[in-house]
Each structure stands twice: as structure tokens, then as C-alpha cells.
Amino acid sequence: QVQLVESGGGLVQAGGSLRLSCAARGITFSNYAMGWFRQVPGKEREFVTVISRSGGSTYYADSVKGRFTISRDNAKKTVYLQMNNLKPEDTAVYSCAAKSREIGTGVNEYNYWGQGTQVTISS
């Protein structure tokens, strides 16, 4: 059974930082590109960032470029999202997702999803 379990969400003030983690179980982690998406109520899920299977390639949405950093540890089967200089508009439920083979930005391209972790930024 495949499981992606996120952790690290919470409430922080604007300008602060959070680090999210996503631990994978039941998949050959190194075979999957890993992405982070976010969603607020009433809106579609939004692509945030993705990292390639080896970790050698990354891609970011313009809205987070320069503030967020994605990384992965294949030995620990975990992907991370370091979020700095957080803004109120970053408030959302953040979910990790696994995509077989190459990186992608489309929601429908991903095979497995975590339940999500709430990130709330106060102004």
C-alpha cells in the first residue's frame, strides 16, 4: 500500500519559515519525481514545485521562486519543502505527490498523493 505522509505544517507569522516533510512508503522512491502542490478552499489545486528522481533537477512556480526550496533524500524516502519569507497568500493545504519517471507540473500527471498539511501565515 502506497502512503505519502506530510508533516511540518503550522501557523507562522509573515516573513517566517517552515519546513515540510513528506515520507513515502510502499513505492520505490527513487523511481518517482516528487512534487508539492497547494490548495485553498474554493480554488483548484496549484503546482508549487517538483524535483526529479535523482534530485538533480527542480522547477518552481513563479509565485514561490527564490523563497521555497525542494530537496529529497532517497535513502530516507523523504522529500522536503523549505519555505522562507512566507506570505499570507501562501496559506493553503500543502500536499506532496509522486509522479513516475520525469518531472511534471500537472495535477493529473501524478500517481500518488498525500493527505496534506495545513500551512497558515498570519499578517
Side-chain angles (χ1 to χ4, degrees), residues 27-49:
I27 60 172
T28 303
F29 187 68
S30 58
N31 286 352
Y32 289 83
M34 297 298 297
W36 286 97
F37 291 76
R38 64 189 183 186
Q39 189 171 24
V40 298
K43 291 191 175 182
E44 293 188 353
R45 189 170 281 175
E46 175 190 23
F47 167 79
V48 176
T49 181

Side-chain angles (χ1 to χ4, degrees), residues 33-119:
M34 297 298 297
W36 286 97
F37 291 76
R38 64 189 183 186
Q39 189 171 24
V40 298
K43 291 191 175 182
E44 293 188 353
R45 189 170 281 175
E46 175 190 23
F47 167 79
V48 176
T49 181
V50 60
I51 188 167
S52 63
R53 291 171 288 171
S54 67
S57 296
T58 58
Y59 185 75
Y60 297 89
D62 288 343
S63 58
V64 306
K65 202 172 294 183
R67 300 188 298 121
F68 290 13
T69 302
I70 189 171
S71 61
R72 68 189 293 162
D73 185 333
N74 284 350
K76 294 183 178 179
K77 302 179 73 172
T78 301
V79 61
Y80 305 97
L81 182 62
Q82 177 67 43
M83 305 186 294
N84 298 329
N85 190 21
L86 284 160
K87 304 175 181 180
E89 52 264 42
D90 294 320
T91 295
V93 174
Y94 283 72
S95 299
C96 66
K99 178 187 180 298
S100 61
R101 304 183 70 181
E102 308 306 322
I103 63 173
T105 62
V107 170
N108 293 333
E109 298 179 68
Y110 284 75
N111 304 98
Y112 304 107
W113 292 84
Q115 294 289 340
T117 185
Q118 177 69 47
V119 170

